[in-house]
C-alpha cells in the first residue's frame, strides 16, 4: 500500500483534532443544559420541601382536618384552609370563564379580521397590559372598579339573577362591590394579555395554504378558524390557557385589594371571601405564634400543590391530544 502524502496526513490529523474538539464542546454543552434543567427541579423540590417543613406544626396539630375546616381564629389558634382554597379556586375559575373566550376573540381578530395597519398597535397595547404591575391592577380595581360594581352591577345581579332557582344564591348579596366576582373579573383582565398573546402567536403558525384552501372551498372565517386553525394549534392553545390559569391561581396583590379578605364560606359570589395568596400577604407579618406562622406556610404549600395538580393535568391533557394526533 502506498504511503500517504504529508499533506493528506496533515489534513487527516487536523480533521481528527477538530472532531475531538467538537465532541468535547458538545459534551460540555450537554452538561451545561442538563445542569440548568436539574437546577430548576432542585429549586422546585427545595421550595416545596421547605414549605412542607415550615407547615409541619399545622399539619401535625390539625391533621387532615386542616384541609376542610373553615376555622381561622388567631386568638384561639384554630386554623383551617377550606375558605382560602375555595376562594382561590372560585376566583381563578371566574377569571378563566371570562378570559378564555375574550382572549380567543382577540387572537382571532388580530390574525384573521383586523386590517394590517391595526394589528401592530393592538398587539402592542395587549403586551403593555401584561407588563403592568399587579398592585396597579389592585388599586384600579379598588378605587375605580369596586364603586362601579357596588353601584350598578351588584344591584342589577341581585334584581335579575338573584331570584333564579339554582343560580340565584350565586348572585345574591349586599352591594359592597368587593367580593369573589370582582376579584375574578380583575384576574381575568390580568390574564387576558398572556392567553391572547399565546393564542395569537400560535394562530400565526398555521400554514397560509391551509387557510387559503379552505377559503377557496367556500368556508367562512369562523369555519376556517374552527375547522383548520384550532385543530392545528389545539395543544399550544390549551397550554396557553393553563399558563393563564397558573397566573390566576397565584396572584396576590390585585386579589388582596378587591376580594374583601373575609374568612367566611359563602355560596354568593358577591360577598367578600379570601384566597391563599391574599391570606399569606395580609397576615404573615401579624403572625405572633409558631402555630399561626406554620399555618400560613402550610397554606403556601397547599397553593403549590394546587398549582402543581393543575399544571400536571394540563400536561396529561396535552399528551393525550398528542397521541390522538399521532405524535409522540
Amino acid at each position: 500500500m502506498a504511503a500517504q502524502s504529508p499533506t493528506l496526513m496533515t489534513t487527516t490529523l487536523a480533521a481528527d483534532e477538530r472532531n475531538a474538539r467538537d465532541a468535547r464542546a458538545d459534551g460540555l454543552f450537554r452538561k451545561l443544559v442538563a445542569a440548568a434543567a436539574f437546577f430548576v427541579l432542585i429549586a422546585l423540590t427545595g421550595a416545596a420541601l421547605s414549605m412542607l417543613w415550615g407547615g409541619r406544626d399545622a399539619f401535625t396539630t390539625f391533621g387532615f382536618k386542616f384541609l376542610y375546616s373553615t376555622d381561622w381564629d388567631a386568638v384561639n389558634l384554630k386554623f383551617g384552609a377550606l375558605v382560602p382554597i375555595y376562594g382561590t379556586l372560585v376566583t381563578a375559575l371566574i377569571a378563566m370563564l371570562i378570559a378564555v373566550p375574550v382572549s380567543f376573540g382577540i387572537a382571532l381578530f388580530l390574525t384573521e379580521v383586523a386590517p394590517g395597519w391595526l394589528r401592530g398597535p393592538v398587539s402592542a397595547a395587549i403586551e403593555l397590559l401584561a407588563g403592568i404591575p399587579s398592585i396597579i391592577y389592585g388599586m384600579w380595581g379598588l378605587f375605580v372598579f369596586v364603586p362601579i360594581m357596588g353601584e350598578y352591577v351588584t344591584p342589577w345581579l341581585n334584581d335579575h339573577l338573584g331570584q333564579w332557582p339554582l343560580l340565584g344564591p350565586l348572585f345574591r348579596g349586599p352591594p359592597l362591590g368587593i367580593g369573589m366576582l370582582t376579584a375574578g373579573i380583575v384576574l381575568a383582565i390580568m390574564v387576558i394579555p398572556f392567553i391572547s398573546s399565546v393564542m395569537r402567536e400560535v394562530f400565526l403558525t398555521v400554514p397560509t395554504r391551509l387557510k387559503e384552501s379552505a377559503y377557496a372551498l367556500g368556508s367562512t372565517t369562523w369555519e376556517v378558524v374552527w375547522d383548520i386553525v384550532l385543530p392545528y394549534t389545539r395543544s399550544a392553545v390549551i397550554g396557553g390557557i393553563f399558563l393563564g390559569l397558573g397566573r390566576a391561581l397565584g396572584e396576590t396583590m390585585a386579589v388582596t385589594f378587591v376580594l374583601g379578605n373575609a374568612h367566611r364560606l359563602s355560596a354568593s359570589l358577591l360577598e367578600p371571601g379570601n384566597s391563599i395568596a391574599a391570606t399569606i400577604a395580609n397576615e404573615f407579618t401579624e403572625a405572633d405564634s409558631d402555630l399561626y406562622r406554620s399555618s400560613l406556610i402550610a397554606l403556601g404549600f397547599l397553593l403549590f400543590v394546587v398549582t402543581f395538580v393543575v399544571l400536571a393535568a394540563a400536561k396529561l391533557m396535552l399528551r393525550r391530544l398528542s397521541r390522538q394526533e399521532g405524535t409522540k
Side-chain angles (χ1 to χ4, degrees), residues 238-305:
I238 294 176
I241 291 174
F242 278 93
L243 176 65
L245 178 58
R247 171 70 187 273
L249 289 171
E251 181 52 45
T252 304
M253 295 310 300
V255 175
T256 303
F257 274 88
V258 299
L259 186 55
N261 306 311
H263 283 284
R264 183 172 63 252
L265 192 64
S266 174
S268 175
L269 302 178
L270 306 182
E271 293 190 8
N274 219 331
S275 69
I276 295 177
T279 302
I280 296 173
N282 281 324
E283 303 186 24
F284 199 82
T285 56
E286 301 175 0
D288 54 0
S289 65
D290 293 337
L291 185 58
Y292 192 0
R293 191 178 304 108
S294 178
S295 298
L296 293 173
I297 297 176
L299 284 180
F301 176 75
L302 293 178
L303 179 60
F304 177 88
V305 172

Side-chain angles (χ1 to χ4, degrees), residues 89-104 170-171 181 184-185 187-188 191-192 195 241 245 248 269:
L89 296 177
V90 170
T91 53
L93 178 61
I94 295 173
M96 300 311 295
L97 289 176
I98 299 173
V100 171
V102 173
S103 300
F104 176 75
L170 296 176
F171 303 101
L181 180 61
I185 295 175
L187 278 178
V191 302
I192 281 174
I195 301 176
I241 291 174
L245 178 58
L269 302 178

Side-chain angles (χ1 to χ4, degrees), residues 104 107-109 111-113 198-212 214-215 219-238 325:
F104 176 75
L108 174 61
F109 175 76
T111 56
E112 303 295 334
V113 179
V198 173
M199 286 187 176
R200 172 180 171 271
E201 293 298 327
V202 298
F203 285 176
L204 291 176
T205 63
V206 179
T208 305
R209 63 181 181 274
L210 294 180
K211 296 187 290 185
E212 290 179 348
Y215 283 124
S219 299
T220 62
T221 301
W222 171 252
E223 290 173 339
V224 170
V225 172
W226 188 257
D227 297 328
I228 303 298
V229 176
L230 274 181
Y232 191 88
T233 61
R234 181 170 50 187
S235 299
V237 167
I238 294 176
E325 295 169 358

Side-chain angles (χ1 to χ4, degrees), residues 59-148:
F59 291 126
T60 302
T61 303
F62 304 110
F64 190 74
K65 184 181 178 182
F66 182 74
L67 299 178
Y68 60 85
S69 174
T70 59
D71 295 333
W72 196 267
D73 188 353
V75 177
N76 296 316
L77 297 180
K78 295 181 179 180
F79 302 102
L82 181 60
V83 174
I85 293 175
Y86 174 77
T88 300
L89 296 177
V90 170
T91 53
L93 178 61
I94 295 173
M96 300 311 295
L97 289 176
I98 299 173
V100 171
V102 173
S103 300
F104 176 75
I106 293 173
L108 174 61
F109 175 76
L110 292 177
T111 56
E112 303 295 334
V113 179
W117 61 268
L118 186 60
R119 295 179 181 179
V122 175
S123 300
I126 294 173
E127 293 173 357
L128 287 175
L129 284 176
I132 298 177
S134 61
I135 193 171
I136 302 300
Y137 281 107
M139 295 175 64
W140 170 84
L142 180 62
F143 295 113
V144 177
F145 190 61
V146 166
I148 295 175

